[in-house]
Amino acid sequence: MGNNFTIGDFTCLAAASLAAVQLLTPANPVGSSLRLLKQLRSQEVGLTCAGDVKNGIDEYNRLHSSSVDERNSEYKSLVNSYYDLATLFYEWGWGQSFHFANRFPNETFAESIRRHEYYLASKLGLSSDPTKLKVLDVGCGIGGPMRNICKFTGCDLTGLTLNQYQVNRGNEIVKTSMPEISTKCRSVQGDFMKMPFDNETYDAAYAIEATCHAPDRVGVYSEIFRVLKPGAIFACYEWCMTDNFDATNKDHLRMKKQIEEGDGLPDICHTSTCLDAMKKAGFDILHEEDMANEEFGVGGTAWMTPLLPSWNPTTQRFQFNWLGQFLVKYALKMLEFCLLAPRGTSETQLMLQKGGIGLGDGGEALIFTPMYLMVGRVPLEKRNTSTDQ
């Protein structure tokens, strides 16, 4: 037989590894994959961007082949198309909280995600009776952070998202899995550039890797400012280019474009642009810091590690090596051929995978951060910039 390691040998090893993960760890890859297949068809029925997944991905690709100005002008279509297509893959492959976190030694992935959320919540100044406080999650996805922060603080949480599928999925999870918080945690549909809330409605607000989808940072921060009460705090993690980004470097531009295309972004701002926008919106800046630079200790891992290639078939990182990319692509094409997945599913996965590669490379090159932390307070003598301009 020799020492050659064949594709058949590798397939057997991958199958054995999958069985070991299924039987010996809390992970449930088989159950998650079966749920994915079941939900793919039901999600297609509820698409708001197009009649089916194929037309949806074609429209998304059309938007991203246009200019930055056109993408900004059509941001609602761009973002809605993206999350119509991406949400199910995110939940299947990442979990219910769609964001990154550095991972400390001896910390599980899920623990690192919750810690990152709790740290942001700790910046909101929720010192009075939390049961009387109303908090807004700006760009809530399917509500993973919102539910965790609701349980952590005891506050009343409202999550806002543009995408109706995410609204339905978030409210479904609360109803079926967390009925104990169903009276104080809900998702609503709306545009964060023009929120469906009255002035000075909320006692605090936060955004986790969400306002990067806005076509105008001053515009979205001004809307958040408008719905907050005087003295309220807004804290967010922003996706930004760092000082290490070189706009003349072709590889840097490649990474930036991959992130934009793979993650539904009109454009990516520099950290200074976001901080200036917060000030222009009216906030007094209390703190700013790139959390990607936090010390996570020996044995910890950086936020982008799950997106870097690995030959370990028991991790999601396997899909980022050349063989994993090949196997995932043609496995989804086979599911499409067998009518188990809608047409366009493999193209959607390729789009998301491209974004993952750009994020991993951009993180390693230190030109991009998904966790630029900004904390701002509404002055007690509040001036509504959205109405005074």
Side-chain angles (χ1 to χ4, degrees):
M1 292 178 61
N3 294 322
N4 293 330
F5 194 68
T6 67
I7 292 293
D9 295 331
F10 188 87
T11 302
C12 291
L13 176 61
S17 300
L18 176 63
V21 172
Q22 178 72 28
L23 295 173
L24 302 177
T25 76
N28 183 18
V30 174
S32 298
S33 298
L34 291 175
R35 185 174 67 251
L36 172 70
L37 292 176
K38 179 181 179 181
Q39 290 179 321
L40 274 171
R41 285 295 179 186
S42 61
Q43 183 192 25
E44 185 171 46
V45 174
L47 290 179
T48 56
C49 67
D52 54 48
V53 171
K54 176 60 177 171
N55 286 328
I57 188 63
D58 287 346
E59 172 62 9
Y60 178 81
N61 288 334
R62 183 195 71 77
L63 288 169
H64 245 297
S65 65
S66 61
S67 66
V68 172
D69 288 342
E70 184 176 351
R71 292 200 299 272
N72 278 326
S73 67
E74 297 192 55
Y75 77 94
K76 286 198 289 186
S77 295
L78 177 71
V79 174
N80 200 45
S81 296
Y82 176 77
Y83 280 111
D84 261 355
L85 298 165
T87 297
L88 194 54
F89 281 97
Y90 274 14
E91 186 179 357
W92 172 63
W94 198 261
Q96 295 177 2
S97 293
F98 300 165
H99 65 82
F100 296 102
N102 290 328
R103 189 168 165 181
F104 292 173
N106 303 313
E107 188 176 52
T108 67
F109 175 79
E111 288 169 346
S112 72
I113 292 292
R114 287 194 297 271
R115 172 184 47 77
H116 199 59
E117 295 164 359
Y118 297 160
Y119 182 77
L120 191 69
S122 74
K123 298 295 184 180
L124 297 178
L126 306 174
S127 57
S128 59
D129 184 356
T131 61
K132 298 179 180 179
L133 299 180
K134 297 175 65 176
V135 178
L136 177 64
D137 182 329
V138 182
C140 65
I142 62 171
M146 176 178 65
R147 291 185 291 275
N148 289 335
I149 291 174
C150 180
K151 291 188 293 182
F152 178 64
T153 64
C155 295
D156 184 278
L157 268 290
T158 297
L160 180 72
T161 176
L162 182 65
N163 185 263
Q164 188 61 49
Y165 174 80
Q166 292 189 333
V167 172
N168 297 342
R169 179 62 180 145
N171 287 331
E172 175 191 21
I173 293 171
V174 170
K175 181 180 178 180
T176 59
S177 303
M178 299 182 179
E180 69 277 8
I181 62 171
S182 61
T183 60
K184 55 182 180 179
C185 188
R186 84 287 303 163
S187 299
V188 299
Q189 193 276 333
D191 180 3
F192 55 30
M193 298 298 293
K194 192 175 182 180
M195 296 189 195
F197 309 122
D198 293 334
N199 292 352
E200 301 183 7
T201 297
Y202 292 97
D203 300 287
Y206 66 87
I208 300 179
E209 303 184 22
T211 47
C212 52
H213 293 289
D216 173 21
R217 291 301 197 284
V218 176
V220 67
Y221 297 153
S222 295
E223 266 296 272
I224 296 168
F225 186 91
R226 178 183 68 80
V227 303
L228 286 175
K229 298 175 182 178
I233 292 177
F234 168 60
C236 70
Y237 293 129
E238 269 285 7
W239 282 29
C240 298
M241 306 312 295
T242 71
D243 290 340
N244 295 312
F245 174 70
D246 179 359
T248 66
N249 184 307
K250 290 184 178 179
D251 205 35
H252 287 190
L253 292 173
R254 184 265 304 171
M255 297 174 201
K256 180 175 182 287
K257 184 61 175 174
Q258 284 182 321
I259 296 170
E260 290 167 353
E261 289 186 355
D263 294 279
L265 306 181
D267 195 14
I268 308 177
C269 300
H270 186 271
T271 52
S272 61
T273 301
C274 291
L275 189 63
D276 287 345
M278 281 271 284
K279 295 174 182 177
K280 289 177 181 178
F283 288 99
D284 293 332
I285 303 302
L286 303 179
H287 183 72
E288 61 88 19
E289 176 185 5
D290 185 359
M291 297 301 295
N293 296 329
E294 71 177 336
E295 293 292 333
F296 45 77
V298 178
T301 55
W303 66 267
M304 84 291 294
T305 302
L307 302 176
L308 301 178
S310 168
W311 287 97
N312 182 349
T314 66
T315 73
Q316 67 178 35
R317 295 175 57 190
F318 179 79
Q319 67 175 299
F320 293 106
N321 68 52
W322 66 265
L323 180 59
Q325 292 180 41
F326 175 86
L327 292 175
V328 171
K329 175 182 177 180
Y330 285 99
L332 289 174
K333 283 187 175 294
M334 180 60 67
L335 291 175
E336 290 181 28
F337 179 78
C338 297
L339 304 181
L340 293 174
R343 287 177 61 243
T345 299
S346 60
E347 290 180 66
T348 300
Q349 190 275 335
L350 285 174
M351 175 266 290
L352 296 173
Q353 191 175 69
K354 180 188 295 184
I357 292 170
L359 287 165
D361 291 348
E364 278 201 306
L366 304 178
I367 66 168
F368 169 81
T369 176
M371 53 186 73
Y372 179 56
L373 171 65
M374 297 185 294
V375 183
R377 176 183 282 126
V378 177
L380 292 176
E381 297 294 328
K382 180 178 180 180
R383 174 178 177 270
N384 270 313
T385 57
S386 59
T387 57
D388 291 345
Q389 288 176 346

